[in-house]
Amino acid sequence: MRIDLVTIFPPLVAGAFEQSIIKRARDRGIVEIHVNDLREYATDRHRTVDDYPYGGGAGMVMKPEPWFRAVEHLREQGHPGPCVLLTPQGRRLDQALVRRLAAEDRLIILCGRYEGVDERVREHLADIEVSIGDYVLSGGEPAAVVLTDAVVRLQPGALGSSESTVEESFSEGLLEYPQYTRPPEFRGWRVPDVLLSGDHGAVERWRREQQQHRTRRRRPDLLQEQGDVSEATS
């Protein structure tokens, strides 16, 4: 898989891809990640990528020309893949969308700034708009790191165990069960006896019960969404 990020602040994201799982996946050739400077696709000597908004208002709007030049240049280098615009107005990122994007051979991720991008970028360049939550960031770079991390860890071979991604929170629409490790007792708090029993069937039942209980208590909306899907497909 190849991921191209386009940003006016490459150092904000480049360092995040030189650590941990993403670095190992890159070193193994599982994923290629390229960080592209949008200013390289500006045509004036000041490398301008923004301008005042038509109709007035505070802030600056990112110009369409550099975005189109950047994406068209990247698409000339191989399989185009979807172009993802990170914006608070986009579809909320969830594990289902992560799986969908992780199945692509290539992604181009656009990191907006200022008051946003010219609407023509949304309408005629972006294939999908994605939001990582109902809040506003200074730019798309932190969201790009989140999206890239989520996508890379689903690539075959990126994690030490293929079961790791199956048992995580949201993989089945439920939160993950509680996790414990040594020592069996710490400051009077004991690990549940079932986890020390060696009875794998009992452990699996306990974990499933804990997933249901934790999801019902912390994220009942996830259970509602499962019900909505079941009714829609019945």
Side-chain angles (χ1 to χ4, degrees):
M1 182 183 202
R2 170 170 171 159
I3 300 175
D4 279 278
L5 291 91
V6 187
T7 170
I8 61 171
F9 295 120
L12 281 182
V13 294
F17 305 139
E18 294 298 331
Q19 307 293 328
S20 188
I21 292 169
I22 295 182
K23 182 180 188 303
R24 292 198 296 270
R26 296 178 77 182
D27 290 345
R28 295 170 184 167
I30 295 170
V31 64
E32 290 182 50
I33 299 177
H34 301 269
V35 181
N36 305 274
D37 188 346
L38 179 67
R39 293 191 185 278
E40 293 182 1
Y41 298 92
T43 56
D44 65 310
R45 64 189 183 91
H46 298 294
R47 306 208 306 170
T48 304
V49 296
D50 60 318
D51 209 333
Y52 295 103
Y54 280 126
M60 305 290 280
V61 175
M62 301 194 81
K63 295 164 62 65
E65 305 99 305
W67 289 115
F68 277 82
R69 291 193 188 98
V71 172
E72 288 165 358
H73 173 74
L74 293 173
R75 283 178 167 168
E76 290 172 356
Q77 299 177 17
H79 188 277
C83 182
V84 181
L85 175 62
L86 295 166
T87 167
Q89 301 180 35
R91 170 181 165 178
R92 187 184 66 184
L93 183 67
D94 57 20
Q95 196 64 17
L97 179 54
V98 170
R99 285 195 293 267
R100 171 184 154 190
L101 296 176
E104 298 286 348
D105 293 329
R106 187 178 186 193
L107 294 176
I108 298 176
I109 302 174
L110 310 184
C111 304
R113 278 266 155 182
Y114 310 126
E115 293 302 308
V117 301
D118 185 288
E119 189 68 15
R120 288 163 289 191
V121 175
R122 298 180 187 277
E123 293 181 347
H124 305 293
L125 189 61
D127 297 302
I128 182 171
E129 298 178 43
V130 175
S131 167
I132 64 168
D134 296 336
Y135 46 86
V136 180
L137 300 169
S138 298
E141 288 79 14
V145 172
V146 169
L147 176 58
T148 302
D149 184 278
V151 165
V152 169
R153 64 197 322 280
L154 290 187
Q155 299 306 305
L159 300 181
S161 169
S162 60
E163 296 180 358
S164 297
T165 59
V166 175
E167 298 180 351
E168 292 173 327
S169 292
F170 308 112
S171 61
E172 296 180 335
L174 299 172
L175 299 182
E176 191 175 15
Y177 48 78
Q179 297 276 16
Y180 295 89
T181 187
R182 295 176 178 81
E185 183 172 344
F186 174 69
R187 295 185 178 181
W189 302 307
R190 283 191 52 80
V191 173
D193 290 338
V194 65
L195 298 181
L196 308 176
S197 68
D199 186 335
H200 297 297
V203 169
E204 288 302 314
R205 289 191 296 273
W206 179 86
R207 286 176 169 173
R208 189 66 179 180
E209 290 168 359
Q210 290 296 314
Q211 283 186 286
Q212 294 281 352
H213 174 70
R214 178 165 286 190
T215 305
R216 188 175 299 109
R217 181 162 52 92
R218 299 185 181 187
R219 291 291 305 276
D221 58 298
L222 295 176
L223 296 175
Q224 180 62 46
E225 289 174 5
Q226 285 188 343
D228 292 343
V229 171
S230 298
E231 291 175 7
T233 56
S234 62

